[in-house]
Amino acid sequence: WLVQAEAPPGAIFKRFRQLMTGSKDWKASARDVALYFVHWLTDLAGAEPTPLGGCEKFVIKFPLPVLNSFLRSFKTVQRIATESETKVMEGYLVSRWKEHTPSLGPPPTGPTAIAKMRVLCMAQMNAVPFLEAFDNLSQADRDVLSAEMAMTACKGQTYSPKLIPKDSLLMSAGPAFLVYYGPAFLQSLGSDKAVHRLQILAQIYRVTRKLWPPKPDQVGSYVTVRIDAIKGLS
């Protein structure tokens, strides 16, 4: 969820951080978090029945840019021991923008910034056409994506004001949405137009919001929306 920015920070980090900070007798350090994720990465290979199978999994099933994204995320994720869920997520999104090859210039600012940085992570190797398409969306679709993708699912937390819509009512309400398989939907672009896929993504958020209207008492929650049925359609 983190590497592909599939979920709001509350869905990614909240439970994990509660476990690290909830004990009176022990507090996790950044080194503890780093060790946990190294173990998690090796466990991906360990799930295969043979050492050779585990090695092949990383070589064959993980494109090098994706594997590198996993490894680079460790230095950001370990900050969850001392920083809020949203601050860690924001730092990760900014670092991914800066590390992108070819260079995309300075990280974006303004009301669409978080949405654009999440789209970059979601689309992976299709990031450039999707970022170009984002600016060609209608104002209504840009507004929907910018507001919904900037929700945190963490009560009392928001991204930096310079990166999110200023007047969005969603910032003080919930639930946030986790569009499950959203990254796969963007990554399987094929011959489709990127702008069309973003329009569909905006519509998914729009109709989901009708099912779950924003409520102040739901500000720290999220809903998972599965789009398995359309992720591979063209």
Side-chain angles (χ1 to χ4, degrees):
W1 289 354
L2 172 67
V3 171
Q4 299 186 114
E6 187 171 12
I12 300 171
F13 293 124
K14 186 186 293 183
R15 182 58 178 160
F16 186 60
R17 193 166 192 277
Q18 286 173 346
L19 292 173
M20 291 192 308
T21 61
S23 173
K24 295 180 180 179
D25 302 320
W26 176 81
K27 301 294 183 183
S29 67
R31 293 182 64 182
D32 296 322
V33 178
L35 178 61
Y36 170 84
F37 278 97
V38 169
H39 180 274
W40 172 83
L41 183 68
T42 57
D43 195 49
L44 290 176
E48 301 300 322
T50 65
L52 178 60
C55 293
E56 288 178 338
K57 184 173 186 176
F58 283 133
V59 174
I60 297 173
K61 297 183 180 180
F62 282 79
L64 186 58
V66 176
L67 182 58
N68 283 338
S69 295
F70 274 111
L71 297 175
R72 287 197 298 268
S73 73
F74 291 174
K75 65 181 180 182
T76 300
V77 173
Q78 65 184 6
R79 291 164 42 200
I80 195 64
T82 57
E83 297 180 2
S84 72
E85 297 90 336
T86 303
K87 188 173 182 180
V88 171
M89 183 71 170
E90 181 178 319
Y92 177 72
L93 293 175
V94 171
S95 69
R96 284 291 302 275
W97 186 281
K98 290 179 177 178
E99 292 170 356
H100 189 272
T101 302
S103 173
L104 298 170
T109 57
T112 63
I114 291 296
K116 284 184 174 180
M117 289 189 284
R118 285 189 63 184
V119 165
L120 176 145
C121 296
M122 291 171 67
Q124 296 286 343
M125 289 178 282
N126 290 331
V128 172
F130 275 104
L131 291 173
E132 293 173 349
F134 194 99
D135 291 327
N136 292 324
L137 289 170
S138 68
Q139 186 64 51
D141 284 344
R142 285 200 303 273
D143 288 346
V144 168
L145 293 176
S146 298
E148 296 290 357
M149 298 180 82
M151 295 186 70
T152 67
C154 292
K155 189 175 183 179
Q157 296 182 27
T158 64
Y159 293 102
S160 295
K162 66 180 181 180
L163 304 178
I164 59 177
K166 292 182 178 180
D167 302 321
S168 175
L169 296 176
L170 295 180
M171 295 302 106
S172 57
F177 298 134
L178 191 172
V179 181
Y180 203 67
Y181 289 114
F185 179 61
L186 301 189
Q187 291 166 29
S188 60
L189 179 62
S191 59
D192 286 356
K193 292 183 178 180
V195 68
H196 291 166
R197 296 242 167 171
L198 288 178
Q199 288 168 342
I200 293 171
L201 184 62
Q203 187 63 10
I204 290 169
Y205 276 115
R206 190 176 285 117
V207 297
T208 304
R209 183 54 67 192
K210 288 184 178 180
L211 294 174
W212 283 277
K215 297 180 179 180
D217 63 347
Q218 296 294 312
V219 68
S221 65
Y222 71 93
V223 169
T224 300
V225 183
R226 299 182 67 102
I227 61 169
D228 319 36
I230 68 168
K231 66 175 181 177
L233 296 180
S234 62

